[in-house]
Every structure is written in structure tokens, then in C-alpha cells.
Amino acid sequence: MTPAAQPTARWHGLPIGHWLIEWDVPELLVFDSVPSTNYIARVRAEAGAPAGLIVLADHQSAGRGRLGRTWHDRPAGSILMSCLLRPAPAPLDVAPGTIPLRVGIAAATALRSATGSDVRLKWPNDLVVPGAGKVGGILCEAVNAGARSGYVVVGLGLNVHQRTEDWPPALRGVATSLAACATGPIPGAQALDRPRLMAALADALRPLRTAPLVSLTHQELDRFASLDALRDARVLVDSDPAPYDARGIDPDGALLTHRDGVVRRISSATVRLA
């Protein structure tokens, strides 16, 4: 951490110690602005920080998503956080591709409960509301994942209060926020309270702090299927002009697609609706 990125002593008017206890986390660092919460979390991980560390910022000046894409946020209008996981060793069944999916299942489930919005997962790491757009993204950075000294930094960016004019023109109609698509029986002001959303996310991520990086269970596959934004959809993969039919995921986290009688496993690609 540099002098320009020193933690703040309060968040939403209360001491950081209050949120440390409220969210039941072993270490909490909160910033007004940093280049990247993932960077801060990696520095703390290398210094021996415990599993469950959370780094939270009201603004990121160099936030990024998957494949190095720029992440746009509105100061104090988003949840921008990183959580440190220290997976238990699993030498016989290491499946690092399951990390963003487990995080996504946990986050989507928590947000659906907290807000009443139809938050779903778009493989491999997007949180979306069908018909509205992307409300959040997950960026997992693993170091020696599955080894005794390994760790995973989970970055989660969530659009909470953004308005249409907050997005660059290229993202309008693609990105959205929880405020823009809030529906359901839960009152909007309560549902979109950032401390309440943070509490829900911290609680959802708690079981993953030291969970081994093993294949997804049948229960997890079923849960993913119930949240799958691509389920049975026609999709385009990378620059291939011919569409595939999405057919869920394998236990190791790979996307399954079908075309002309052939099943293709996709471990890493850009996938979009056809």
C-alpha cells in the first residue's frame, strides 16, 4: 500500500471495527479510492493475511474485468471488493476453473435473496439480469491454487446505484445496475443499501474461505443450472460465426456446447448470446 492508498477509519459513518464484527471477517481494509482492490488483497496475501480478508473501496481508478477489460464504476455507487481465499489442498481432484462459478453461485443467490432481482450467472463470471444487462463481474486470481501455500483473490464488482448516463456510450444497453432493474416485494431503499448487500455477500462467501478446489458436486451443478443465463440458448464463441447450443457445464467448470451432433468443452473463451 502506498501513501496515496491508505485505509479509511470509517465507512457509512461507522468505524471499520463495527463492520469487521458485523460481517464476521478476520481482517477488513476499506478505502475511499484505490487502483485495484485485488492488488491490495494480493499484497496482504503475500504478507500472510488470513482467509476471509476483505478489501473494499468506494472507487477503483484502474479496475478491470476478465481479459483485461476496463471496469467502470461510479464513486460510492458500487460494491468493489476483493476477498482472500486459502483453499485446502486437494491433490487428487484440483479444479481451479470452479472458483468463479462457486463464487458466482454464492453471490447470485445472496443478491436474489437481498434484492428480489432475478440475478443470474453468465458463464464464466458475469452476474446478469435477463433482459436488462450485466450488474456485476467476478475476477479470480489464483497463486499456486490447490497447493498448501496457495491462495485465490476473488474480485467482485457490483453495480448498485448507477444511472444510464453513468456508462460510456459503448456500454449503454449492455451494463445495468441493481437500482435500474429493482423489482419484487423488497422495498428498493432497503434492498439497495450497500452495507446490507455487503453483509449478504460476506455471509455467502464465508463457506468458500478454505474450501478445496474440487469438482462441482451434483447439488452445485443443479444450483448453477437454476441460475444459468445461457441455459439452452444459442451462443457465439470467440470469433466463430456459427452459433452453438449451450448445454450447461461440466463438474470441472467447463462450458458444454453442442453443434452438428458434436459436444465441445470450452474452458476459456468469450461467449455471447447469438
Side-chain angles (χ1 to χ4, degrees):
M1 289 177 283
T2 68
Q6 292 300 309
T8 183
R10 303 177 75 85
W11 190 67
H12 276 258
L14 293 172
I16 298 305
H18 168 85
W19 303 115
L20 187 81
I21 297 170
E22 178 81 9
W23 300 338
D24 187 21
V25 294
E27 184 176 339
L28 174 64
L29 298 173
V30 181
F31 297 85
D32 293 327
S33 178
V34 291
S36 163
T37 59
N38 267 24
Y39 171 76
I40 301 294
R42 289 198 309 271
V43 171
R44 292 296 304 129
E46 294 292 342
L53 157 79
I54 285 180
V55 180
L56 178 65
D58 277 345
H59 174 62
Q60 288 186 130
S61 59
R64 60 189 176 90
R66 185 169 170 268
L67 304 178
R69 297 188 180 99
T70 299
W71 180 269
H72 297 270
D73 70 78
R74 172 187 171 193
S78 308
I79 285 179
L80 307 168
M81 63 168 287
S82 296
C83 180
L84 176 62
L85 311 181
R86 292 194 179 275
L92 299 180
D93 183 24
V94 178
T98 62
I99 303 171
L101 300 175
R102 282 195 168 98
V103 172
I105 291 170
T109 301
L111 293 172
R112 289 168 70 91
S113 177
T115 69
S117 293
D118 185 22
V119 180
R120 295 180 178 267
L121 300 180
K122 176 181 172 292
W123 185 93
N125 62 346
D126 285 346
L127 298 167
V128 302
V129 174
K134 177 177 175 178
V135 296
I138 297 161
L139 178 64
C140 296
E141 299 178 290
V143 176
N144 297 323
R148 189 168 301 277
S149 61
Y151 63 85
V152 179
V153 171
V154 174
L156 174 62
L158 181 65
N159 304 325
V160 181
H161 295 296
Q162 283 89 341
R163 303 157 302 191
T164 300
E165 57 267 29
D166 293 325
W167 308 114
L171 290 181
R172 293 174 188 175
V174 176
T176 188
S177 68
L178 291 173
C181 52
T183 59
I186 299 175
Q190 179 188 7
L192 301 180
D193 176 71
R194 288 199 305 158
R196 182 172 181 270
L197 292 176
M198 268 302 306
L201 291 170
D203 187 58
L205 293 174
R206 191 171 299 111
L208 302 182
R209 290 179 183 177
T210 58
L213 304 183
V214 295
S215 297
L216 298 167
T217 66
H218 290 299
Q219 291 82 358
E220 288 173 319
L221 289 171
D222 288 344
R223 186 58 183 154
F224 178 86
S226 72
L227 298 168
D228 187 1
L230 299 179
R231 186 175 179 86
D232 298 326
R234 301 279 280 173
V235 298
L236 296 172
V237 179
D238 289 335
S239 59
D240 190 337
Y244 291 82
D245 295 315
R247 290 290 185 263
I249 58 173
D250 257 358
D252 66 356
L255 178 69
L256 300 176
T257 62
H258 182 275
R259 186 173 72 190
D260 299 331
V262 177
V263 175
R264 176 185 175 189
R265 281 172 37 89
I266 300 173
S267 298
S268 178
T270 297
V271 179
R272 64 190 187 280
L273 292 172

